[in-house]
Amino acid sequence: MSRVEEDLKRFFTDFEGRFDAQLGRVSLSQTAVDERLGTSSPYLCQVKARYDRELLRLLDDGMLLAVSNFRSRPDGTRYTLLEVIRFWPVHFGLSAVRDYQYYPLQFEVIEQSVEDWETDDKATMMIQLACIPVNYDLYFDGGEPSFERGFSYPVVGSRAYILSRDLIREMYNRSVLERQGWALEGTCADARVDPRLGTVKMFEAAGEEIPFYIDFDALVRYHFGIFAFTGGGKSNMMSNILRRLLIHNSEVKVVIFDISCEYPFLLMDIFADEAVPSRVIMENMPRTVEDFCNSVVKPRYYEDDPRVTQGLGAVHELGRVSHMRRARLQVPQFAEFLSDIERLKDSNLDHPNYVEALRDVEEVVLGYMEDHELREDDELTRQVVTMIVDRAQEVVEEYKVHPMSALCGWFIARDKMMGYFDLEPRQGGEGYSTEDVEELLKGDTRLVSLSISEPTTLKRLVIDLTHDILLNRKREFSVRPYILFVWDEAQEFVSAPSSLRGIDKTCSEEVEKLLRQGRKYGLGGCIATQRIAYLNTNALQQLHTYFVSTLPRPYDRGLISNTFMIDKTILEKTLEFVPGEWLVSSYLATGMANVPIFVKADNAENEIEKYLKTLP
């Protein structure tokens, strides 16, 4: 029989009287932050529940408990919300067993405990629950409950309640559904019917399903990350998000930098959907369906499935498969030339005369830009290059630049820049250039997968596309449509710049710049990787939503804990995850800001299977 008061039954549950618990202790953490292992909650709460064998089956990590706190008043009750991070049964007799005791006595107690576990003997057994505050108060004043951000110290000894399925669904989903304008009755895993990403794991054992929704606008505009070890379902989760995003939000466009060439399969049903204009752009043009199919990475159990060839063939027949056109030399922008000068000044600090020579040439360029009202993103002109060549010859003698130095060679080689203006522009032709991809995104195309396995080519595309699109948005100050850039295998694109050189460093810096500035202009980013230890931390700190699955390396978990302020004990729970299970937390995109939620994602391959079954 339920012990929950009648007026609270809408909001709390005790599993028909099975959960009878009190807050037993609140302790302070000794160390709040550990640079290697992560952040700890400042408070650890211990809840003690009377033993019930069935209760052990119904409890789950991530459940939310409510305990009254010292801010309660006669006209309203406040409860501190606690998240269960671990629970276990305790036997009084077993707790008293010590290794130094008489052996037959030890065995007698241990053997007797086996029979005790099958009973509901509350005199010798109980259940312990370790919890941490989620920094929210639940407030009742006789009407509908409300949630207020902040921590209130709970009353030790007070009764602990489990938040009900209906209240959990309300607090996690109501604000998201309202912001997105979704009016849904019931829930299902069909991506075209229900925009949910999966289900909340709590209450699974009780057979109750709580859908999990996310605010797609906030998810895209304020960036997100997906972190999981190999085999954790990272690409599956990504395709799950992108599929629902494209189906249920018509104002978002997606660009995937797909170095693994797997998204033409993972989003096959979307690429074959005539209602969603899309393009697959590969390194080389697949002339036949077989060439296309062989270029796409597929899950092992689909490698020999003839339906996959048929499904990808439908995408090919729609004319949605192409390739990148090899670019000829392009006239550099003023920004590139000025950047070269800055780099040369930094490398010649031990030669002040060389630095002054470079500043002299720099002044020529800056003066020309000012006189002609040009910006750094404009291309160099023949006139300014002529001025650079003439002045470069003069400064070599004027500043006594050594004829055998690298800088002298750079000055002398400036006349080669005139060759940029002698190239005839390539007209049309097959395939897409960077400019063509930008034009696609200005049109009706909503999904572009740049499935190119050559890292240097793809990094060049990252640099050019992110730079140009961000610059265009700044000029127009337009925000919509939102454009989401997806960097799968992000360690290839967003590594820590301090350890990089050349195109790798430029790529990381451009991605960081887009993540820092893009939200003002409707440009979002997603970083997906299996190892975050060596990523650009400045880029990571721009993410407002994160999906975390199993990460075996402690340093990776510690970095996530410190960067996103997630309790390290909660992250330890991800080690127990099976593929498809995720820890989700967000500052803006979920119903409760910065509350970790354990989620079981819908399987994206079910959508592929449904599509394959529709093929003739």
Side-chain angles (χ1 to χ4, degrees), residues 435-602:
E435 292 77 12
D436 294 331
V437 176
E438 293 173 23
E439 289 300 319
L440 278 178
L441 295 171
K442 291 178 182 177
D444 296 331
T445 303
R446 296 191 56 216
L447 172 62
V448 176
S449 179
L450 297 165
S451 301
I452 298 172
S453 59
E454 213 294 308
T456 303
T457 302
L458 201 52
K459 288 172 186 175
R460 186 74 256 170
L461 277 169
V462 171
I463 294 168
D464 292 342
L465 278 177
T466 55
H467 177 271
D468 292 351
I469 292 176
L470 178 59
L471 199 59
N472 289 336
R473 283 290 173 100
K474 287 181 177 180
R475 285 176 174 175
E476 303 165 359
F477 199 79
S478 59
V479 174
R480 294 182 184 272
Y482 291 162
I483 300 178
L484 172 66
F485 295 91
V486 177
W487 294 281
D488 199 4
E489 303 297 340
Q491 66 276 4
E492 295 285 344
F493 309 105
V494 208
S495 294
S498 59
S499 60
L500 303 177
R501 299 179 63 186
I503 192 172
D504 295 325
K505 183 173 183 178
T506 305
C507 184
S508 181
E509 291 173 341
E510 286 295 333
V511 173
E512 178 192 336
K513 183 168 72 172
L514 183 131
L515 293 175
R516 280 192 287 104
Q517 302 177 14
R519 70 189 60 157
K520 302 174 185 176
Y521 307 103
L523 303 178
C526 170
I527 291 175
T529 184
Q530 59 183 314
R531 184 79 199 273
I532 72 167
Y534 301 111
L535 291 191
N536 185 334
T537 53
N538 290 331
L540 286 175
Q541 289 168 351
Q542 307 305 317
L543 309 181
H544 280 56
T545 305
Y546 17 93
F547 300 79
V548 184
S549 189
T550 303
L551 290 171
R553 297 180 178 90
Y555 186 80
D556 288 342
R557 296 195 302 274
L559 183 60
I560 288 180
S561 177
N562 290 331
T563 303
F564 305 125
M565 298 305 293
I566 302 178
D567 184 87
K568 63 184 181 182
T569 312
I570 290 182
L571 282 172
E572 293 293 328
K573 293 298 299 179
T574 63
L575 295 174
E576 303 170 15
F577 283 177
V578 299
E581 294 181 346
W582 295 86
L583 173 68
V584 184
S585 187
S586 176
Y587 295 106
L588 293 169
T590 55
M592 298 290 283
N594 210 30
V595 173
I597 307 170
F598 293 105
V599 172
K600 183 175 182 180
D602 292 330

Side-chain angles (χ1 to χ4, degrees), residues 282 284-289 291-293 295 316 321-323:
M282 312 196 78
N284 298 300
M285 181 62 190
R287 298 293 178 185
T288 65
V289 172
D291 290 342
F292 179 40
C293 191
S295 301
H316 192 274
V321 182
S322 188
H323 68 288

